[in-house]
Amino acid sequence: MKNLLLPALLALLVSAQSASAQTSPPAPAAPDTLRSQLVRGTVRDKATGQPLPGVTVLVKGTTNGISTDAKGAYALTVPLAAQATLVFSSIGYVTREHAVGRARVLDVVLTADARQLSEVVVTGITIRGVSSVSGSVSNVLAGKVAGVMISDKSRRSSHASPRLSHPAREEAGAGDTYATIKENAFFEVKKAPLSTFALDVDNASYTNVRRFLNEGQLPPRDAVRVEEMLNYFRYEYAAPPAESPDPVRISTELAVCPWNTAHQLVRIGVQAKKIETAKLPPANLVFLVDVSGSMYGPDRLPLVQAGLKLLVKQLRPQDRVALVVYAGAAGLVLPPTPGSQPEVILDAIDRLQAGGSTAGGAGLRLAYATAKQHFNKDGNNRVILATDGDFNVGESSDRAMEQLIVDQRESGVFLTVLGCGRGNLRDSRMEALADKGNGNYAYLDNLDEAARVLVAQFGGTLFTVAKDVKLQIEFNPARVANYRLVGYENRMLEAEDFNNDRKDAGELGAGHTVTALYEIVPVGSSQPLVDKLKYQAASAAPTAGQPATAEVMTVKLRYKQPHGLSSKLLTQSITGAPAAIASASPDFRFAAAVAQFGMLLRQSEQRGTATWASTEALANGARGTDADGYRAELVRLVRLAEGLSGSKAVGKR
């Protein structure tokens, strides 16, 4: 297989080098405005008037289509023909057709179809091949880019593995692999007063869950990581003061727990400083793209290519990009090229094709070697790996791949992992690689998500402001009897790891926010986890007024500068009485709703009185301004999940 692929890699290299030598790239062909027109519009829920993201808008009788963005908006090039018709469809809504005629703006409302949701039976995954999808991301790019065409130009070679369809399976998500999650239990403060964990800004789990729900399936339990669902959303936390030397700031809030009113809920928020794109340090980026047979299909390589094109449009002249590919062998398709030559970079991305086995280890080694060869000590040096994680040649075990990443991160080259595809998604492997590589992991379920990760969050995704960030919480036994951390199961640390600067932890990018929730059982709760002991000496009861004035807990945070070796300590205490959930901030209530949603999807034993209805109401009442529409989208996903849950007892209204 290697021998078959090497000529193709060499051809790519020669073509890319020839393109880089051109002083004036050919002008793009003018669009045929006489035979087509751009139609824009917004799709809304008829009952609520709220915009509907994720609605499929398709030119009837063709494969030309798009999904509405976070604001329910779409923009699609439509043939200028009298019979042209757009079909609007979404799970849980009645499909609607609308003739286009010569309309330039076409707003549509969809009616909910409760019967459709209640009758859905999950039998498996079917991937439908799409040859061309035109997607508007103008809402994310603020008008800089009107749209992007994903054209599946890839052709299977004689040794490619087609992935266009999968047979129906008995279990949703069959073929994908996820790390087993054992949910955090309650700890007794008197026996375990410290809770320590590494921060995690990954949010791949949320987009993967969204993909399952939009395709009419409940996600596998282990695909649901509550902390990644929490951290998908932005919250209005106080930013570090401009004059502060610290790139992060802690904020806290205490209120009654909505799924168990006898308990309390603590929100810990961490805000990283924001940096304007123009002021970010120069970037030395290496795109490492999996072009193996498993990447064949419109939701894999073509989607990755479209996402990387969006990123290229954000590059500045001082930034440099190289392109490495791997399949049966690894090759350098594009040497480091300045951002002032976007045509050369885009041409190299366009030439990628899927086919062959997957030499992931060889590709990683070549990508790191390329990044180190052009290392910028004053800049951001990063490998961006785009793959479905299906490594099957070379280093094939998770441990071997992780060790390769650990050995390389000490050089100062960080790793970002972009996951894609379904049916053979190696989620656990990609998450581990990103964690070990001082980077973050995102799952691309559509083009809008690629734009969100690589454009709207350009700084946070690619530029680290603090590394090895970890939290340690000390609880006051006078106020807290028991506690549990909601999520972060695979980020837990030992207490002594907090002061150990050699212990790897999480990274924060520019503008990132991180949210953690603790459910606590207060001293004197009407629903204690364990009854008072009859034969043991009881500790002194808190004095009058102490519960409202004594500290509940102290939050300690350690971080290092991106190229630093020693950590710095920040602390903040939490005092006061818990607020009623109705009086808590919108951010607090929305985060609590997201946590409830995750627990319901996981069928958590800790979900208490949470239901789909209460979760929807809590989230809907805490949407706030919701400028990007993502909070409204979560409300829609809760409704989808309720319908898909069918007769299951979990979360029934």
Side-chain angles (χ1 to χ4, degrees), residues 50-51 53 70 590 620 623 626 629-637:
Q50 294 298 323
F590 189 80
N620 202 35
R623 293 206 325 256
D626 194 23
Y630 291 125
R631 296 192 178 191
E633 179 187 60
L634 179 108
V635 175
R636 180 181 68 86
L637 293 179

Side-chain angles (χ1 to χ4, degrees), residues 253-257 263-265 479 520 522 547-548 552 575-581:
E253 190 171 359
L254 176 66
V256 173
C257 180
H263 295 177
Q264 298 169 8
L265 194 64
R479 289 204 57 178
I520 63 176
V552 178
T575 59
I581 187 64

Side-chain angles (χ1 to χ4, degrees), residues 286-308:
V286 178
F287 295 160
L288 174 57
V289 182
D290 180 352
V291 293
S292 65
S294 67
M295 290 290 286
Y296 187 83
D299 62 332
R300 296 170 174 80
L301 182 58
L303 177 58
V304 167
Q305 289 172 293
L308 293 181

Side-chain angles (χ1 to χ4, degrees), residues 93-303:
Y93 289 88
V94 177
T95 298
R96 180 175 179 183
E97 296 186 5
H98 204 299
V100 176
R102 292 185 174 273
R104 298 294 179 132
V105 178
L106 193 57
D107 295 328
V108 174
V109 294
L110 296 184
T111 304
D113 187 352
R115 184 182 62 180
Q116 180 192 115
L117 279 178
S118 63
E119 292 178 351
V120 169
V121 178
V122 179
T123 59
I125 296 178
T126 299
I127 307 300
R128 294 171 295 277
V130 179
S131 61
S132 177
V133 179
S134 175
S136 169
V137 292
S138 57
N139 66 307
V140 181
L141 303 181
K144 295 181 181 179
V145 180
V148 175
M149 177 72 71
I150 308 178
S151 297
D152 185 6
K153 300 178 181 177
S154 303
R155 293 293 182 266
R156 282 176 286 171
S157 64
S158 60
H159 55 285
S161 301
R163 299 283 184 175
L164 288 180
S165 64
H166 298 269
R169 296 185 173 105
E170 294 181 357
E171 181 182 355
D176 298 344
T177 59
Y178 302 94
T180 301
I181 298 175
K182 183 179 179 180
E183 190 174 35
N184 289 330
F186 278 96
F187 288 90
E188 185 180 353
V189 172
K190 291 181 179 179
K191 296 180 179 178
L194 297 176
S195 176
T196 310
F197 66 100
L199 287 192
D200 186 2
V201 297
D202 296 344
N203 51 49
S205 178
Y206 178 79
T207 52
N208 193 27
V209 165
R210 180 175 66 192
R211 182 259 296 184
F212 272 102
L213 294 174
N214 282 334
E215 291 182 351
Q217 303 176 83
L218 289 172
R221 290 181 61 178
D222 288 332
V224 182
R225 295 187 287 274
V226 178
E227 73 279 2
E228 294 188 18
M229 297 183 68
L230 283 169
N231 289 326
Y232 183 84
F233 300 94
R234 292 291 175 178
Y235 304 95
E236 296 300 323
Y237 298 150
E243 65 278 5
S244 173
D246 298 313
V248 297
R249 182 172 180 175
I250 305 170
S251 64
T252 58
E253 190 171 359
L254 176 66
V256 173
C257 180
W259 58 84
N260 189 332
T261 55
H263 295 177
Q264 298 169 8
L265 194 64
V266 178
R267 176 196 52 78
I268 301 171
V270 179
Q271 174 71 60
K273 68 178 180 180
K274 301 176 182 179
I275 304 176
E276 296 179 11
T277 300
K279 296 181 180 180
L280 291 169
N284 168 32
L285 307 177
V286 178
F287 295 160
L288 174 57
V289 182
D290 180 352
V291 293
S292 65
S294 67
M295 290 290 286
Y296 187 83
D299 62 332
R300 296 170 174 80
L301 182 58
L303 177 58

Side-chain angles (χ1 to χ4, degrees), residues 304-342:
V304 167
Q305 289 172 293
L308 293 181
K309 288 178 185 179
L310 297 180
L311 174 57
V312 170
K313 295 178 185 296
Q314 302 302 300
L315 297 177
R316 306 158 300 173
Q318 63 267 38
D319 300 326
R320 287 184 174 271
V321 166
L323 178 59
V324 173
V325 297
Y326 66 91
L332 178 65
V333 173
L334 180 72
T337 303
S340 58
Q341 299 180 29

